[in-house]
Amino acid sequence: MHVVRGRTDSVVVVGAGLAGLSAALHLRGAGHQVTVVEQRGHPGGLAGRSDVDGHRLDTGPTVLTMPELLDEAFSAVGQRLSDRLELLPLHPAYRATFADGSALDVHTDAERMEQEVRDFAGGREAGGYRRLRAWLTRLHEVERERFIGANLDSPLDLLGRDLAALAALGGFGSLSRAVGRFLDDPRLRRVFTFQSLYAGVAPRDALAAYAVIAYMDTVAGVWFPRGGMRAVPQALADAALDAGVEFHYDTEVTALERAGSRVTAVRTAGDRIPCDAVVLATGPAQSTRLLHGRPRRPVPLRWSPSAVVVHLSAPEASADLAHHTISFGEAWDGTFDEIIRAGRLMSDPSLLLTTPSLTDPALAPAGRHLHYVLAPCPNLDSAPLRWDALGPRYADELVAELTRRKLLVTDVTRLATTTPDDWATLGQAAGTPFSAAHTFGQTGPFRPRNLPHRRGNVVLAGSGTTPGVGIPPVLISGRLAAERLRR
C-alpha cells in the first residue's frame, strides 16, 4: 500500500461529515495532531439537520447499518460507542408494500424472516430465502476485508484467493440474476435488489457483488440513534474534541497553499492553517476545485441518480407504516430506465417513507408525526430540469400518491423539500447526494483513488472515493484515508 511520504504529524481534515470525522478519529488515535475545518456551523456534512416548527429533521441519510464501524472509530481514541450513542434496533428493518396490496416485514432474524417469507410467498420461496441469506453472508465475508476495507493501488491488488472466491460466488455477474437464482417471486426479488440504487445502478446492471448492501440491512440489521441521525456525527465530533482534535466551524477552505508537490497550509477567508498533510472529505466537486482538477481518467465519471426528499408533519401515522417503509410501484425495470437513461421522473414511483417519530417521538411536537419521503430522480447532468418550479409541484404529487396508497393521512403539512438543485448548492457534483455511480469501471481500484497524486500529501475521503456510497463505506473511507498517512 502506498502511503504519503515525509512528515504527517499535523493533518488538516477539510469537512466534518461522517468521512471526515472518521478520518479525524483514526488519525488522532494514531498520534497525529488533527484540525477539522467545516464550512457549516455543526458537524454532519450530508448527514445534515434542520429544525422546523419543533420538528427535528434529518436532511441526509436515514438508514443506519453496521454500527460496529462507529465503534471502531470511537475505539481509535479509547472511547466506546455505548457511552456516546443510544442505538435502537429496528424490527422490522423495513416494511415493503406492493402495488397488489400485499406487504412484507423484513426481519433480520433468520427464523422470523423465513416464516415471514413462507406466509407471504410459500415454502419454496422460504427455502430460497435461507439459501440467499447464506450466500449474502458468504459474500460479505469475502468482500469485507479485501474489497471493501482495504486500500487499493492497482487492479493487481485484487489478485488472489479472495478474487477467486468472489468469482466463484458469482460476484461479477448481474445482481438481478444472482438473486433470481434463489427467489422466483418478483416482489421478493425487489426487496433484495432495490439497494443497488444506492450505488447508482439498476439491479439488472449492477454487479452481484453489490448484494453485500442487502446483507447490511436485511441480515446484519438496521438501527436508529435516539435523537435522530444527527446524533451520529455529533457524537463522533464530541469524541474527537475530547480526544484533542481542534474544530473550526463556519469556516470555508478557499485554497491549498503549496510548496512543490506538497500542501503546506490550508487557507480560509481569514486564516492560514499550516499542516503536514490534508484529508479532503468534501465531496468530488469541492475536492476538484481545491486540487485544480481531478486526476485523468480514460472516460469521465458517471454520476448516480439524485433524489427529491420531502419532509412532512402529520397528526397521525398510518397503521400500515414501519419506521422505514418501502412503497413499490407496479413498474420496476422501466422505473430505472426513466431516471437513469431517459432523464425523466418516475411515472409509477417506488419510494422510501421513513417515519422516525414512531421510534423516537421526541423528534416531533406532541401529537405530531414526522415523515421523510425519498424519491429517486434524474441527476442534473442527465436532466437539467427547472427544479425551482418543479420541486414544490412534484413534492405535492408524491404526497398525493402516498395518500392514495394509504400510507399518509390526508392532513399533512410540508415542512421542507430538497431537490437536485439543493444538493448542487451543497457542493454535490451533478446535484446528487449519491456521488459517482458504482459501475464496473467505477468500482474498487477503478473508482477515484483516495491518494490522487502519489507524490503529494493530500488524501481523499467520502463517497466519491473508495470504497463508495453509504454510511458504512463512508466511515471506512475515513479509516482508509488515515492509513495513507501512517507515521
Side-chain angles (χ1 to χ4, degrees), residues 434-467:
F434 302 116
S435 197
H438 284 264
T439 60
F440 180 82
Q442 296 178 178
T443 292
F446 306 114
R447 198 164 181 81
R449 298 175 187 174
N450 61 359
L451 188 58
H453 304 292
R454 191 171 295 179
R455 295 183 180 180
N457 62 338
V458 175
V459 185
L460 306 181
S463 60
T465 184
T466 54

PDB file of all heavy atoms in Angstrom, residues 434-467:
ATOM      1  N   PHE A 434     -25.559  10.909  -4.007  1.00  0.00           N
ATOM      2  CA  PHE A 434     -25.042   9.542  -4.077  1.00  0.00           C
ATOM      3  C   PHE A 434     -23.741   9.438  -4.861  1.00  0.00           C
ATOM      4  O   PHE A 434     -23.272   8.331  -5.123  1.00  0.00           O
ATOM      5  CB  PHE A 434     -26.104   8.619  -4.688  1.00  0.00           C
ATOM      6  CG  PHE A 434     -27.396   8.604  -3.930  1.00  0.00           C
ATOM      7  CD1 PHE A 434     -28.567   9.057  -4.505  1.00  0.00           C
ATOM      8  CD2 PHE A 434     -27.439   8.154  -2.626  1.00  0.00           C
ATOM      9  CE1 PHE A 434     -29.758   9.055  -3.805  1.00  0.00           C
ATOM     10  CE2 PHE A 434     -28.625   8.150  -1.909  1.00  0.00           C
ATOM     11  CZ  PHE A 434     -29.790   8.607  -2.493  1.00  0.00           C
ATOM     12  N   SER A 435     -23.167  10.575  -5.254  1.00  0.00           N
ATOM     13  CA  SER A 435     -21.844  10.659  -5.855  1.00  0.00           C
ATOM     14  C   SER A 435     -21.714   9.814  -7.124  1.00  0.00           C
ATOM     15  O   SER A 435     -22.683   9.616  -7.856  1.00  0.00           O
ATOM     16  CB  SER A 435     -20.783  10.271  -4.819  1.00  0.00           C
ATOM     17  OG  SER A 435     -19.500  10.709  -5.223  1.00  0.00           O
ATOM     18  N   ALA A 436     -20.501   9.327  -7.377  1.00  0.00           N
ATOM     19  CA  ALA A 436     -20.231   8.571  -8.601  1.00  0.00           C
ATOM     20  C   ALA A 436     -20.896   7.203  -8.548  1.00  0.00           C
ATOM     21  O   ALA A 436     -20.834   6.497  -7.532  1.00  0.00           O
ATOM     22  CB  ALA A 436     -18.724   8.415  -8.796  1.00  0.00           C
ATOM     23  N   ALA A 437     -21.529   6.811  -9.667  1.00  0.00           N
ATOM     24  CA  ALA A 437     -22.216   5.525  -9.723  1.00  0.00           C
ATOM     25  C   ALA A 437     -21.220   4.375  -9.629  1.00  0.00           C
ATOM     26  O   ALA A 437     -20.073   4.493 -10.064  1.00  0.00           O
ATOM     27  CB  ALA A 437     -23.005   5.419 -11.025  1.00  0.00           C
ATOM     28  N   HIS A 438     -21.685   3.262  -9.063  1.00  0.00           N
ATOM     29  CA  HIS A 438     -20.822   2.092  -8.913  1.00  0.00           C
ATOM     30  C   HIS A 438     -20.946   1.175 -10.129  1.00  0.00           C
ATOM     31  O   HIS A 438     -21.340   0.013 -10.027  1.00  0.00           O
ATOM     32  CB  HIS A 438     -21.174   1.338  -7.631  1.00  0.00           C
ATOM     33  CG  HIS A 438     -20.676   2.000  -6.392  1.00  0.00           C
ATOM     34  ND1 HIS A 438     -19.489   1.658  -5.783  1.00  0.00           N
ATOM     35  CD2 HIS A 438     -21.184   3.018  -5.666  1.00  0.00           C
ATOM     36  CE1 HIS A 438     -19.299   2.416  -4.719  1.00  0.00           C
ATOM     37  NE2 HIS A 438     -20.322   3.255  -4.626  1.00  0.00           N
ATOM     38  N   THR A 439     -20.601   1.715 -11.284  1.00  0.00           N
ATOM     39  CA  THR A 439     -20.462   0.874 -12.461  1.00  0.00           C
ATOM     40  C   THR A 439     -19.183   0.054 -12.318  1.00  0.00           C
ATOM     41  O   THR A 439     -18.358   0.311 -11.426  1.00  0.00           O
ATOM     42  CB  THR A 439     -20.376   1.738 -13.721  1.00  0.00           C
ATOM     43  OG1 THR A 439     -19.235   2.606 -13.608  1.00  0.00           O
ATOM     44  CG2 THR A 439     -21.632   2.582 -13.895  1.00  0.00           C
ATOM     45  N   PHE A 440     -19.001  -0.932 -13.199  1.00  0.00           N
ATOM     46  CA  PHE A 440     -17.787  -1.745 -13.113  1.00  0.00           C
ATOM     47  C   PHE A 440     -16.539  -0.873 -13.206  1.00  0.00           C
ATOM     48  O   PHE A 440     -15.567  -1.062 -12.467  1.00  0.00           O
ATOM     49  CB  PHE A 440     -17.772  -2.807 -14.221  1.00  0.00           C
ATOM     50  CG  PHE A 440     -16.543  -3.670 -14.190  1.00  0.00           C
ATOM     51  CD1 PHE A 440     -16.450  -4.745 -13.318  1.00  0.00           C
ATOM     52  CD2 PHE A 440     -15.464  -3.398 -15.019  1.00  0.00           C
ATOM     53  CE1 PHE A 440     -15.300  -5.534 -13.265  1.00  0.00           C
ATOM     54  CE2 PHE A 440     -14.314  -4.171 -14.980  1.00  0.00           C
ATOM     55  CZ  PHE A 440     -14.237  -5.245 -14.104  1.00  0.00           C
ATOM     56  N   GLY A 441     -16.572   0.119 -14.117  1.00  0.00           N
ATOM     57  CA  GLY A 441     -15.417   0.981 -14.301  1.00  0.00           C
ATOM     58  C   GLY A 441     -15.239   2.029 -13.222  1.00  0.00           C
ATOM     59  O   GLY A 441     -14.289   2.832 -13.289  1.00  0.00           O
ATOM     60  N   GLN A 442     -16.137   2.035 -12.232  1.00  0.00           N
ATOM     61  CA  GLN A 442     -16.024   2.978 -11.105  1.00  0.00           C
ATOM     62  C   GLN A 442     -16.145   2.233  -9.784  1.00  0.00           C
ATOM     63  O   GLN A 442     -16.659   2.761  -8.810  1.00  0.00           O
ATOM     64  CB  GLN A 442     -17.097   4.065 -11.227  1.00  0.00           C
ATOM     65  CG  GLN A 442     -16.927   4.923 -12.463  1.00  0.00           C
ATOM     66  CD  GLN A 442     -17.987   5.979 -12.648  1.00  0.00           C
ATOM     67  OE1 GLN A 442     -17.924   6.755 -13.593  1.00  0.00           O
ATOM     68  NE2 GLN A 442     -18.978   6.049 -11.783  1.00  0.00           N
ATOM     69  N   THR A 443     -15.644   1.000  -9.779  1.00  0.00           N
ATOM     70  CA  THR A 443     -15.706   0.148  -8.597  1.00  0.00           C
ATOM     71  C   THR A 443     -14.301  -0.287  -8.203  1.00  0.00           C
ATOM     72  O   THR A 443     -13.453  -0.517  -9.070  1.00  0.00           O
ATOM     73  CB  THR A 443     -16.575  -1.095  -8.880  1.00  0.00           C
ATOM     74  OG1 THR A 443     -17.928  -0.690  -9.041  1.00  0.00           O
ATOM     75  CG2 THR A 443     -16.509  -2.102  -7.748  1.00  0.00           C
ATOM     76  N   GLY A 444     -14.073  -0.415  -6.893  1.00  0.00           N
ATOM     77  CA  GLY A 444     -12.797  -0.932  -6.412  1.00  0.00           C
ATOM     78  C   GLY A 444     -11.629  -0.086  -6.887  1.00  0.00           C
ATOM     79  O   GLY A 444     -11.626   1.141  -6.746  1.00  0.00           O
ATOM     80  N   PRO A 445     -10.617  -0.710  -7.500  1.00  0.00           N
ATOM     81  CA  PRO A 445      -9.429   0.041  -7.925  1.00  0.00           C
ATOM     82  C   PRO A 445      -9.706   0.984  -9.088  1.00  0.00           C
ATOM     83  O   PRO A 445      -8.853   1.812  -9.420  1.00  0.00           O
ATOM     84  CB  PRO A 445      -8.449  -1.068  -8.336  1.00  0.00           C
ATOM     85  CG  PRO A 445      -9.312  -2.215  -8.714  1.00  0.00           C
ATOM     86  CD  PRO A 445     -10.491  -2.147  -7.791  1.00  0.00           C
ATOM     87  N   PHE A 446     -10.892   0.870  -9.721  1.00  0.00           N
ATOM     88  CA  PHE A 446     -11.236   1.750 -10.841  1.00  0.00           C
ATOM     89  C   PHE A 446     -11.993   2.996 -10.365  1.00  0.00           C
ATOM     90  O   PHE A 446     -12.258   3.889 -11.166  1.00  0.00           O
ATOM     91  CB  PHE A 446     -12.075   0.990 -11.865  1.00  0.00           C
ATOM     92  CG  PHE A 446     -11.430  -0.281 -12.327  1.00  0.00           C
ATOM     93  CD1 PHE A 446     -11.990  -1.510 -12.026  1.00  0.00           C
ATOM     94  CD2 PHE A 446     -10.242  -0.259 -13.050  1.00  0.00           C
ATOM     95  CE1 PHE A 446     -11.405  -2.682 -12.439  1.00  0.00           C
ATOM     96  CE2 PHE A 446      -9.635  -1.432 -13.467  1.00  0.00           C
ATOM     97  CZ  PHE A 446     -10.214  -2.654 -13.164  1.00  0.00           C
ATOM     98  N   ARG A 447     -12.361   3.027  -9.087  1.00  0.00           N
ATOM     99  CA  ARG A 447     -13.025   4.205  -8.530  1.00  0.00           C
ATOM    100  C   ARG A 447     -11.952   5.272  -8.267  1.00  0.00           C
ATOM    101  O   ARG A 447     -10.773   4.938  -8.081  1.00  0.00           O
ATOM    102  CB  ARG A 447     -13.738   3.826  -7.222  1.00  0.00           C
ATOM    103  CG  ARG A 447     -14.794   4.846  -6.796  1.00  0.00           C
ATOM    104  CD  ARG A 447     -15.716   4.256  -5.758  1.00  0.00           C
ATOM    105  NE  ARG A 447     -16.738   5.207  -5.351  1.00  0.00           N
ATOM    106  CZ  ARG A 447     -17.838   5.457  -6.031  1.00  0.00           C
ATOM    107  NH1 ARG A 447     -18.068   4.801  -7.145  1.00  0.00           N
ATOM    108  NH2 ARG A 447     -18.714   6.334  -5.597  1.00  0.00           N
ATOM    109  N   PRO A 448     -12.319   6.563  -8.272  1.00  0.00           N
ATOM    110  CA  PRO A 448     -11.305   7.581  -7.963  1.00  0.00           C
ATOM    111  C   PRO A 448     -10.553   7.240  -6.678  1.00  0.00           C
ATOM    112  O   PRO A 448     -11.154   6.992  -5.638  1.00  0.00           O
ATOM    113  CB  PRO A 448     -12.138   8.858  -7.810  1.00  0.00           C
ATOM    114  CG  PRO A 448     -13.304   8.639  -8.718  1.00  0.00           C
ATOM    115  CD  PRO A 448     -13.620   7.173  -8.595  1.00  0.00           C
ATOM    116  N   ARG A 449      -9.243   7.207  -6.764  1.00  0.00           N
ATOM    117  CA  ARG A 449      -8.434   6.736  -5.640  1.00  0.00           C
ATOM    118  C   ARG A 449      -8.349   7.781  -4.542  1.00  0.00           C
ATOM    119  O   ARG A 449      -8.415   8.989  -4.804  1.00  0.00           O
ATOM    120  CB  ARG A 449      -7.032   6.359  -6.132  1.00  0.00           C
ATOM    121  CG  ARG A 449      -7.056   5.216  -7.141  1.00  0.00           C
ATOM    122  CD  ARG A 449      -5.676   4.940  -7.697  1.00  0.00           C
ATOM    123  NE  ARG A 449      -5.753   3.959  -8.779  1.00  0.00           N
ATOM    124  CZ  ARG A 449      -4.730   3.600  -9.527  1.00  0.00           C
ATOM    125  NH1 ARG A 449      -3.539   4.159  -9.315  1.00  0.00           N
ATOM    126  NH2 ARG A 449      -4.878   2.716 -10.478  1.00  0.00           N
ATOM    127  N   ASN A 450      -8.145   7.310  -3.338  1.00  0.00           N
ATOM    128  CA  ASN A 450      -8.063   8.264  -2.227  1.00  0.00           C
ATOM    129  C   ASN A 450      -6.685   8.902  -2.111  1.00  0.00           C
ATOM    130  O   ASN A 450      -6.502   9.819  -1.315  1.00  0.00           O
ATOM    131  CB  ASN A 450      -8.485   7.611  -0.907  1.00  0.00           C
ATOM    132  CG  ASN A 450      -7.613   6.445  -0.512  1.00  0.00           C
ATOM    133  OD1 ASN A 450      -6.672   6.066  -1.206  1.00  0.00           O
ATOM    134  ND2 ASN A 450      -7.938   5.833   0.623  1.00  0.00           N
ATOM    135  N   LEU A 451      -5.725   8.418  -2.880  1.00  0.00           N
ATOM    136  CA  LEU A 451      -4.415   9.063  -2.962  1.00  0.00           C
ATOM    137  C   LEU A 451      -4.252   9.542  -4.406  1.00  0.00           C
ATOM    138  O   LEU A 451      -3.664   8.858  -5.251  1.00  0.00           O
ATOM    139  CB  LEU A 451      -3.304   8.085  -2.587  1.00  0.00           C
ATOM    140  CG  LEU A 451      -1.889   8.667  -2.430  1.00  0.00           C
ATOM    141  CD1 LEU A 451      -1.861   9.760  -1.367  1.00  0.00           C
ATOM    142  CD2 LEU A 451      -0.894   7.568  -2.107  1.00  0.00           C
ATOM    143  N   PRO A 452      -4.810  10.723  -4.723  1.00  0.00           N
ATOM    144  CA  PRO A 452      -4.893  11.133  -6.128  1.00  0.00           C
ATOM    145  C   PRO A 452      -3.547  11.401  -6.778  1.00  0.00           C
ATOM    146  O   PRO A 452      -3.391  11.233  -7.984  1.00  0.00           O
ATOM    147  CB  PRO A 452      -5.758  12.403  -6.073  1.00  0.00           C
ATOM    148  CG  PRO A 452      -5.618  12.914  -4.681  1.00  0.00           C
ATOM    149  CD  PRO A 452      -5.436  11.703  -3.820  1.00  0.00           C
ATOM    150  N   HIS A 453      -2.574  11.827  -5.979  1.00  0.00           N
ATOM    151  CA  HIS A 453      -1.233  12.109  -6.504  1.00  0.00           C
ATOM    152  C   HIS A 453      -0.221  11.412  -5.595  1.00  0.00           C
ATOM    153  O   HIS A 453      -0.050  11.795  -4.438  1.00  0.00           O
ATOM    154  CB  HIS A 453      -0.971  13.609  -6.564  1.00  0.00           C
ATOM    155  CG  HIS A 453      -1.993  14.354  -7.377  1.00  0.00           C
ATOM    156  ND1 HIS A 453      -2.101  14.213  -8.746  1.00  0.00           N
ATOM    157  CD2 HIS A 453      -2.973  15.222  -6.999  1.00  0.00           C
ATOM    158  CE1 HIS A 453      -3.094  14.977  -9.180  1.00  0.00           C
ATOM    159  NE2 HIS A 453      -3.638  15.584  -8.146  1.00  0.00           N
ATOM    160  N   ARG A 454       0.456  10.413  -6.141  1.00  0.00           N
ATOM    161  CA  ARG A 454       1.299   9.552  -5.312  1.00  0.00           C
ATOM    162  C   ARG A 454       2.402  10.328  -4.601  1.00  0.00           C
ATOM    163  O   ARG A 454       2.794   9.984  -3.499  1.00  0.00           O
ATOM    164  CB  ARG A 454       1.893   8.443  -6.178  1.00  0.00           C
ATOM    165  CG  ARG A 454       2.575   7.345  -5.376  1.00  0.00           C
ATOM    166  CD  ARG A 454       2.940   6.177  -6.258  1.00  0.00           C
ATOM    167  NE  ARG A 454       1.760   5.523  -6.808  1.00  0.00           N
ATOM    168  CZ  ARG A 454       1.798   4.481  -7.625  1.00  0.00           C
ATOM    169  NH1 ARG A 454       2.972   3.994  -8.012  1.00  0.00           N
ATOM    170  NH2 ARG A 454       0.689   3.945  -8.071  1.00  0.00           N
ATOM    171  N   ARG A 455       2.902  11.384  -5.216  1.00  0.00           N
ATOM    172  CA  ARG A 455       3.974  12.157  -4.589  1.00  0.00           C
ATOM    173  C   ARG A 455       3.442  13.299  -3.719  1.00  0.00           C
ATOM    174  O   ARG A 455       4.227  14.031  -3.119  1.00  0.00           O
ATOM    175  CB  ARG A 455       4.902  12.723  -5.660  1.00  0.00           C
ATOM    176  CG  ARG A 455       5.643  11.640  -6.437  1.00  0.00           C
ATOM    177  CD  ARG A 455       6.614  12.275  -7.429  1.00  0.00           C
ATOM    178  NE  ARG A 455       7.340  11.268  -8.185  1.00  0.00           N
ATOM    179  CZ  ARG A 455       8.243  11.533  -9.121  1.00  0.00           C
ATOM    180  NH1 ARG A 455       8.515  12.812  -9.420  1.00  0.00           N
ATOM    181  NH2 ARG A 455       8.842  10.565  -9.775  1.00  0.00           N
ATOM    182  N   GLY A 456       2.129  13.429  -3.663  1.00  0.00           N
ATOM    183  CA  GLY A 456       1.548  14.505  -2.880  1.00  0.00           C
ATOM    184  C   GLY A 456       1.248  14.086  -1.462  1.00  0.00           C
ATOM    185  O   GLY A 456       1.523  12.962  -1.034  1.00  0.00           O
ATOM    186  N   ASN A 457       0.654  14.991  -0.721  1.00  0.00           N
ATOM    187  CA  ASN A 457       0.295  14.721   0.677  1.00  0.00           C
ATOM    188  C   ASN A 457      -1.174  15.028   0.949  1.00  0.00           C
ATOM    189  O   ASN A 457      -1.558  15.361   2.069  1.00  0.00           O
ATOM    190  CB  ASN A 457       1.190  15.524   1.631  1.00  0.00           C
ATOM    191  CG  ASN A 457       1.047  17.025   1.451  1.00  0.00           C
ATOM    192  OD1 ASN A 457       0.617  17.508   0.401  1.00  0.00           O
ATOM    193  ND2 ASN A 457       1.432  17.783   2.477  1.00  0.00           N
ATOM    194  N   VAL A 458      -2.004  14.920  -0.113  1.00  0.00           N
ATOM    195  CA  VAL A 458      -3.446  15.092   0.008  1.00  0.00           C
ATOM    196  C   VAL A 458      -4.113  13.742  -0.178  1.00  0.00           C
ATOM    197  O   VAL A 458      -3.810  13.015  -1.130  1.00  0.00           O
ATOM    198  CB  VAL A 458      -3.988  16.093  -1.026  1.00  0.00           C
ATOM    199  CG1 VAL A 458      -5.510  16.169  -0.952  1.00  0.00           C
ATOM    200  CG2 VAL A 458      -3.377  17.471  -0.814  1.00  0.00           C
ATOM    201  N   VAL A 459      -5.021  13.403   0.738  1.00  0.00           N
ATOM    202  CA  VAL A 459      -5.762  12.149   0.686  1.00  0.00           C
ATOM    203  C   VAL A 459      -7.249  12.497   0.649  1.00  0.00           C
ATOM    204  O   VAL A 459      -7.684  13.478   1.266  1.00  0.00           O
ATOM    205  CB  VAL A 459      -5.445  11.260   1.904  1.00  0.00           C
ATOM    206  CG1 VAL A 459      -6.133   9.905   1.779  1.00  0.00           C
ATOM    207  CG2 VAL A 459      -3.945  11.072   2.048  1.00  0.00           C
ATOM    208  N   LEU A 460      -8.021  11.696  -0.070  1.00  0.00           N
ATOM    209  CA  LEU A 460      -9.463  11.918  -0.172  1.00  0.00           C
ATOM    210  C   LEU A 460     -10.221  10.961   0.730  1.00  0.00           C
ATOM    211  O   LEU A 460      -9.774   9.845   0.993  1.00  0.00           O
ATOM    212  CB  LEU A 460      -9.939  11.716  -1.612  1.00  0.00           C
ATOM    213  CG  LEU A 460      -9.229  12.517  -2.702  1.00  0.00           C
ATOM    214  CD1 LEU A 460      -9.842  12.202  -4.057  1.00  0.00           C
ATOM    215  CD2 LEU A 460      -9.289  14.009  -2.410  1.00  0.00           C
ATOM    216  N   ALA A 461     -11.382  11.401   1.193  1.00  0.00           N
ATOM    217  CA  ALA A 461     -12.298  10.548   1.956  1.00  0.00           C
ATOM    218  C   ALA A 461     -13.718  10.934   1.563  1.00  0.00           C
ATOM    219  O   ALA A 461     -13.974  12.062   1.156  1.00  0.00           O
ATOM    220  CB  ALA A 461     -12.094  10.705   3.459  1.00  0.00           C
ATOM    221  N   GLY A 462     -14.629   9.978   1.690  1.00  0.00           N
ATOM    222  CA  GLY A 462     -16.021  10.249   1.369  1.00  0.00           C
ATOM    223  C   GLY A 462     -16.549   9.309   0.313  1.00  0.00           C
ATOM    224  O   GLY A 462     -15.852   8.401  -0.156  1.00  0.00           O
ATOM    225  N   SER A 463     -17.787   9.543  -0.100  1.00  0.00           N
ATOM    226  CA  SER A 463     -18.468   8.616  -1.001  1.00  0.00           C
ATOM    227  C   SER A 463     -17.930   8.660  -2.418  1.00  0.00           C
ATOM    228  O   SER A 463     -18.161   7.733  -3.198  1.00  0.00           O
ATOM    229  CB  SER A 463     -19.973   8.918  -1.010  1.00  0.00           C
ATOM    230  OG  SER A 463     -20.218  10.242  -1.448  1.00  0.00           O
ATOM    231  N   GLY A 464     -17.205   9.716  -2.797  1.00  0.00           N
ATOM    232  CA  GLY A 464     -16.688   9.820  -4.148  1.00  0.00           C
ATOM    233  C   GLY A 464     -15.438   9.013  -4.394  1.00  0.00           C
ATOM    234  O   GLY A 464     -15.015   8.859  -5.532  1.00  0.00           O
ATOM    235  N   THR A 465     -14.840   8.489  -3.328  1.00  0.00           N
ATOM    236  CA  THR A 465     -13.636   7.685  -3.461  1.00  0.00           C
ATOM    237  C   THR A 465     -13.928   6.278  -2.938  1.00  0.00           C
ATOM    238  O   THR A 465     -15.086   5.890  -2.783  1.00  0.00           O
ATOM    239  CB  THR A 465     -12.461   8.367  -2.723  1.00  0.00           C
ATOM    240  OG1 THR A 465     -11.268   7.619  -2.946  1.00  0.00           O
ATOM    241  CG2 THR A 465     -12.713   8.501  -1.234  1.00  0.00           C
ATOM    242  N   THR A 466     -12.905   5.506  -2.678  1.00  0.00           N
ATOM    243  CA  THR A 466     -13.101   4.133  -2.211  1.00  0.00           C
ATOM    244  C   THR A 466     -13.479   4.109  -0.731  1.00  0.00           C
ATOM    245  O   THR A 466     -13.015   4.953   0.032  1.00  0.00           O
ATOM    246  CB  THR A 466     -11.808   3.318  -2.417  1.00  0.00           C
ATOM    247  OG1 THR A 466     -10.719   4.007  -1.797  1.00  0.00           O
ATOM    248  CG2 THR A 466     -11.509   3.140  -3.878  1.00  0.00           C
ATOM    249  N   PRO A 467     -14.309   3.150  -0.294  1.00  0.00           N
ATOM    250  CA  PRO A 467     -14.948   2.110  -1.114  1.00  0.00           C
ATOM    251  C   PRO A 467     -16.234   2.549  -1.814  1.00  0.00           C
ATOM    252  O   PRO A 467     -16.663   1.894  -2.737  1.00  0.00           O
ATOM    253  CB  PRO A 467     -15.235   0.997  -0.113  1.00  0.00           C
ATOM    254  CG  PRO A 467     -15.405   1.688   1.190  1.00  0.00           C
ATOM    255  CD  PRO A 467     -14.480   2.874   1.150  1.00  0.00           C
TER     256      PRO A 467
END
